[in-house]
Amino acid sequence: MGKMPHLSWFFQAWILIAIHTDFTLADRSTYIVHMDKSAMPKAFAIHHDWYLATINSLKVAGTNSDTLKSMPRLLYTYDNAIHGFSAVLSFEELLNLQNSPGFVTAYPDKIVKLHTTHTPEFLSLNTISGVWPASDYGKDVIIGMMDSGVWPESKSFNDDGMTEVPIKWKGICQAGGDFNSSMCNRKLIGARSYQSGALAANLNGERYRDSPRDANGHGTHTSSTAAGNYVEGVSFFGYAEGTARGIAPRARVAMYSVSGSVGAGSDLLAGMDQAIEDGVDVISVSMGAGRIPLYENPIAIAGFAAMEKGVFVSTLAGNDGPYPMSVENGVPWLLTVGASTIDRQNSAILTLGNGMSTFGWSEFPVNALLENVPVIYNETLLACDSAELLSAEATGKIVICSDYSGYLASQIHETVLYSNVAGAIFISNSTKYMEVKDLPCPAMVITPVQSPGLINYVTSTTNPTVTMKFQLEVLGSKPAPAVSCYSSRGPSSSYPSIMKPDLIAPGSKVLAAWIPISPSAFLGSNVVLSSSYTLKSGTSMACPHASGVAALLKGANPDWSPAAIRSAMMTTASHIGNDYSPIQDNGKSLRYATPLDMGSGQIDPNKALDPGLIYDADSQDYVNHLCFMNFTKKQILTITRSSKYDCSTAADLNYPSFMAFFNNTSLTVHKFHRTVTNVGQKSSSYKVNLKVPRGTSITVMPDTLSFTRRYQKVSFNVSVDIKQMNTLKSYGSLVWKEVGGNHTVRSPIVVYRMV
């Protein structure tokens, strides 16, 4: 990973600045300034100090006061994307700046407009080209949601603009409790409830008795993420304001309520069984059965039946990251989705009494302004682990807290809530705050890189004050995506011979529909806030993104098999972030993510529409691999439900990734046999491009694939030799690059040795 930028206390390289008109001074503008770093005078130890001195030298003679409005103001310094800084300057100061040593160029900053469910834009979905118009936005594709239920009154399930329900639909809208059949429509075309297993097991999950109504919000959130209709003017208490819509906004939703906060596998099996019968095209399962064998996993078993019928099944990877071998649903015939971050940063702005300012993370759900409030920095208070001590020392003040001890990682606001402080500034490197935490008190989080300027100001100033303004946002933060810290990692302990997760999709701070009876946020220790839309994080949120993409691909390519759709998603996924460097891992100190963290990479819907080549497979192919993995006849029968399958042809699976798993044997060579199908141009050829895992040698035969017609199949062999490998894990990739064309078919390679 490249060197982290030095940004003093101002900001981080992962933020692409968004200028808010509240902070643009009269007759001043914000400029991005490029500097020649090699021209930095030797008197300065770091470039930030040089930039700050440059700005301070620009004070125009004749100003009538030393106030914020009459001074140039440094906002951020940069050292990766550019060498330079951004600053609020008058035109005369800009002219003077051009005479400064090392000046290269300057230009005005741009205002960035925000969207709500921003993930469609982040995934490059648009109305002009790509998979949205090609699929007519998922029109008539039916997504069966296995979840906690649905809140039919949500505007995300209105049927404005929807055509009549497809004739193929065989489902019903089940009445029960306060849910009646008239609550379904042309968007929410079906709803059923399955609770018998949970009742028999005495499971205490939030459920409406015998009703598909959502009691905890999870199902409403996931289903609106996958296929919610357009809803204007929504937000999470002012954050993420805009128009909400799902990934496949013209697809249909059928809800199968199979759990509360917990559920029974039997109920899930019943729901999936019925969904197949009802005629769904895609099944979305934001649930996990734990790391259990395939032949005991209800999702795996029901998923095999769905796959046989041509139904695509998307599942979550689990939220047990960043620990290895924690992935759930590591099933060869299902898509397993990990979670990633997006480029929207919910923020507050912190302005010191000396006029310096910075952004930090916050989701305090009030459009508040704490203006010129006394701030205290006391080393005995830094842990913020005693409400009594905070009240005694910092009543009515803003307190600075640090989580160097790790305490705040799990107790970010408890002591602040129960003290008499006015607010808090948390200093933390943990990405968990931005990914999974909330802030029910006036507080914000800045990084240790940002903190020295704050601390220097507070400790060197008599009666220091700060101003904090909430409900601000920055769009375009970098790097994004990153693998979410909580996203479960591979390999799968239940099926390690196939690389899992398959890919990642947006899962952190996803805004989608919510239910009015479940809290959306908290204000203080005892005020519960409700909202029709809320921000949630988890691989539960990533899964419906992939489900929506699958619906779009199914709508554009009705004849594609589930394996073909999964292959298209995987081989076109991006392993590069918006900063043009490899995707980073929030769970591993921002090191570059490996395929065991992110699979093939971030899902790219538009590229998946035209993958060039696909790795296809049918039910017999999966059985052949079960035989290859020495599953017994009984175990296979448990999964397949049919004796028509046999083990006469044990074989490797035609999967779009390569997992060379050496399980404590004397073998040093792993061989793969793969077949690709041409879904691109009639006549084309592809040349192999290898990134060989460190310590291994790889042979691909042949190294060129030639096609003379569409849907033609061509096979190749891959041999991985680990005789020289001295590590337990190593990573690479195999890419088929179209000769004279635009298709790039990328597959990750993982070499994994058990000891």
Side-chain angles (χ1 to χ4, degrees), residues 639-686:
I639 296 168
T640 64
R641 314 165 332 282
S642 173
S643 58
K644 71 177 182 180
Y645 299 106
D646 59 48
C647 280
S648 59
T649 308
D652 185 24
L653 182 61
N654 196 40
Y655 212 75
S657 60
F658 297 86
M659 182 76 175
F661 187 78
F662 294 86
N663 189 15
N664 197 26
T665 70
S666 59
L667 295 176
T668 58
V669 177
H670 193 112
K671 295 183 178 181
F672 300 93
H673 179 76
R674 293 288 192 268
T675 300
V676 288
T677 304
N678 177 31
V679 294
Q681 299 299 319
K682 292 181 179 180
S683 179
S684 59
S685 62
Y686 290 78

Side-chain angles (χ1 to χ4, degrees), residues 489-503:
R489 314 306 167 92
S492 167
S493 59
S494 59
Y495 207 89
S497 61
I498 297 295
M499 189 199 78
K500 293 287 181 172
D502 292 312
L503 47 76

Side-chain angles (χ1 to χ4, degrees), residues 56-384:
N56 289 337
S57 71
L58 297 177
K59 184 177 179 181
V60 179
T63 52
N64 55 15
S65 68
D66 196 29
T67 64
L68 176 64
K69 288 188 177 182
S70 62
M71 293 180 63
R73 182 165 144 228
L74 181 67
L75 294 180
Y76 316 110
T77 61
Y78 310 100
D79 197 29
N80 280 335
I82 67 169
H83 289 151
F85 57 88
S86 56
V88 177
L89 305 170
S90 68
F91 184 71
E92 186 175 359
E93 289 161 351
L94 178 64
L95 293 177
N96 290 338
L97 176 64
Q98 296 178 21
N99 297 320
S100 299
F103 175 85
V104 177
T105 189
Y107 46 83
D109 199 2
K110 307 297 188 295
I111 294 176
V112 180
K113 296 182 179 180
L114 306 181
H115 299 269
T116 288
T117 17
H118 170 60
T119 49
E121 283 82 12
F122 186 51
L123 296 176
S124 299
L125 292 168
N126 66 88
T127 60
I128 305 302
S129 62
V131 74
W132 259 2
S135 67
D136 201 0
Y137 304 86
K139 178 184 176 182
D140 287 345
V141 179
I142 303 170
I143 304 177
M145 305 293 303
M146 303 295 135
D147 221 298
S148 62
V150 65
W151 198 265
E153 293 87 355
S154 171
K155 291 182 179 179
S156 287
F157 305 114
N158 78 78
D159 62 0
D160 293 346
M162 303 295 294
T163 57
E164 293 303 315
V165 177
I167 297 175
K168 66 181 179 181
W169 174 243
K170 302 176 184 177
I172 65 169
C173 193
Q174 176 186 326
D178 58 354
F179 194 106
N180 61 65
S181 58
S182 65
M183 291 177 171
C184 292
N185 55 25
R186 293 173 298 179
K187 163 58 76 174
L188 178 64
I189 63 174
R192 297 179 185 260
S193 177
Y194 298 89
Q195 302 186 33
S196 299
L199 292 172
N202 227 4
L203 298 177
N204 295 318
E206 306 92 340
R207 300 293 297 276
Y208 278 95
R209 186 68 180 269
D210 298 326
S211 170
R213 180 173 290 278
D214 191 1
N216 66 26
H218 192 274
T220 298
H221 197 279
T222 58
S223 52
S224 60
T225 298
N229 209 340
Y230 298 88
V231 185
E232 296 182 355
V234 304
S235 72
F236 174 73
F237 302 103
Y239 297 101
E241 187 174 4
T243 298
R245 69 278 199 221
I247 297 298
R250 287 294 180 246
R252 319 290 178 149
V253 173
M255 174 57 67
Y256 298 82
S257 177
V258 295
S259 76
S261 56
V262 294
S266 56
D267 294 337
L268 174 60
L269 280 170
M272 292 184 71
D273 182 78
Q274 187 62 56
I276 297 168
E277 177 68 24
D278 288 344
V280 303
D281 301 293
V282 175
I283 292 178
S284 186
V285 190
S286 285
M287 304 171 65
R291 294 177 287 278
I292 58 177
L294 268 58
Y295 48 85
E296 296 178 359
N297 187 333
I299 300 173
I301 295 169
F304 189 92
M307 174 272 300
E308 282 185 307
K309 298 289 187 180
V311 179
F312 185 91
V313 182
S314 175
T315 64
L316 55 74
N319 299 329
D320 294 327
Y323 306 107
M325 300 191 79
S326 58
V327 69
E328 297 186 59
N329 298 319
V331 182
W333 44 88
L334 308 180
L335 182 74
T336 308
V337 186
S340 63
T341 63
I342 62 176
D343 65 343
R344 181 182 61 218
Q345 185 65 51
N346 298 325
S347 305
I349 191 168
L350 173 69
T351 303
L352 308 188
N354 63 7
M356 297 300 181
S357 63
T358 185
F359 285 92
W361 175 82
S362 182
E363 282 176 1
F364 181 55
V366 175
N367 186 12
L369 175 65
L370 302 182
E371 191 168 15
N372 297 323
V373 179
V375 59
I376 183 170
Y377 176 81
N378 187 323
E379 291 187 0
T380 63
L381 299 180
L382 278 179
C384 289

Side-chain angles (χ1 to χ4, degrees), residues 319-661:
N319 299 329
D320 294 327
Y323 306 107
M325 300 191 79
S326 58
V327 69
E328 297 186 59
N329 298 319
V331 182
W333 44 88
L334 308 180
L335 182 74
T336 308
V337 186
S340 63
T341 63
I342 62 176
D343 65 343
R344 181 182 61 218
Q345 185 65 51
N346 298 325
S347 305
I349 191 168
L350 173 69
T351 303
L352 308 188
N354 63 7
M356 297 300 181
S357 63
T358 185
F359 285 92
W361 175 82
S362 182
E363 282 176 1
F364 181 55
V366 175
N367 186 12
L369 175 65
L370 302 182
E371 191 168 15
N372 297 323
V373 179
V375 59
I376 183 170
Y377 176 81
N378 187 323
E379 291 187 0
T380 63
L381 299 180
L382 278 179
C384 289
D385 56 358
S386 169
E388 293 78 10
L389 185 60
L390 288 176
S391 296
E393 300 290 336
T395 292
K397 299 180 179 180
I398 291 176
V399 64
I400 299 173
C401 305
S402 169
D403 78 339
Y404 295 130
S405 64
Y407 178 78
L408 288 175
S410 58
Q411 301 277 345
I412 186 171
H413 51 67
E414 291 297 326
T415 55
V416 173
L417 276 178
Y418 292 103
S419 70
N420 295 323
V421 301
I425 302 168
F426 298 106
I427 302 172
S428 175
N429 255 336
S430 174
T431 60
K432 289 184 179 179
Y433 295 119
M434 293 173 282
E435 292 197 61
V436 300
K437 297 292 183 180
D438 55 15
L439 279 177
C441 56
M444 63 187 294
V445 182
I446 65 174
T447 70
V449 175
Q450 296 171 275
S451 65
L454 168 65
I455 295 172
N456 290 340
Y457 163 73
V458 175
T459 56
S460 63
T461 305
T462 302
N463 301 321
T465 63
V466 297
T467 296
M468 297 168 64
K469 183 174 183 180
F470 299 94
Q471 288 193 351
L472 303 173
E473 293 187 23
V474 177
L475 189 66
S477 61
K478 297 181 180 182
V483 179
S484 300
C485 58
Y486 55 81
S487 187
S488 290
R489 314 306 167 92
S492 167
S493 59
S494 59
Y495 207 89
S497 61
I498 297 295
M499 189 199 78
K500 293 287 181 172
D502 292 312
L503 47 76
I504 53 174
S508 291
K509 296 298 180 181
V510 174
L511 193 139
W514 197 243
I515 65 175
I517 63 170
S518 183
S520 295
F522 296 88
L523 186 60
S525 58
N526 56 7
V527 178
V528 177
L529 302 178
S530 64
S531 174
S532 297
Y533 290 81
T534 195
L535 297 167
K536 290 294 178 182
S537 298
T539 52
S540 283
M541 284 66 243
C543 173
H545 279 86
S547 305
V549 173
L552 296 174
L553 295 175
K554 187 70 173 179
N557 300 281
D559 296 331
W560 277 12
S561 69
I565 294 174
R566 180 186 58 216
S567 175
M569 290 183 183
M570 290 177 63
T571 61
T572 59
S574 175
H575 62 291
I576 301 298
N578 62 357
D579 59 350
Y580 302 104
S581 64
I583 289 175
Q584 297 179 3
D585 186 347
N586 276 355
K588 297 178 181 177
S589 303
L590 297 181
R591 289 179 292 179
Y592 291 152
T594 75
L596 294 179
D597 306 317
M598 65 174 179
S600 296
Q602 174 88 343
I603 195 169
D604 190 327
N606 291 331
K607 287 186 177 179
L609 177 66
D610 183 21
L613 305 176
I614 57 172
Y615 294 79
D616 210 349
D618 59 22
S619 56
Q620 183 62 60
D621 294 321
Y622 294 113
V623 173
N624 291 344
H625 198 252
L626 293 175
C627 300
F628 184 72
M629 297 302 298
N630 295 318
F631 278 65
T632 67
K633 184 177 180 179
K634 182 177 180 180
Q635 291 166 348
I636 293 174
L637 181 61
T638 301
I639 296 168
T640 64
R641 314 165 332 282
S642 173
S643 58
K644 71 177 182 180
Y645 299 106
D646 59 48
C647 280
S648 59
T649 308
D652 185 24
L653 182 61
N654 196 40
Y655 212 75
S657 60
F658 297 86
M659 182 76 175
F661 187 78

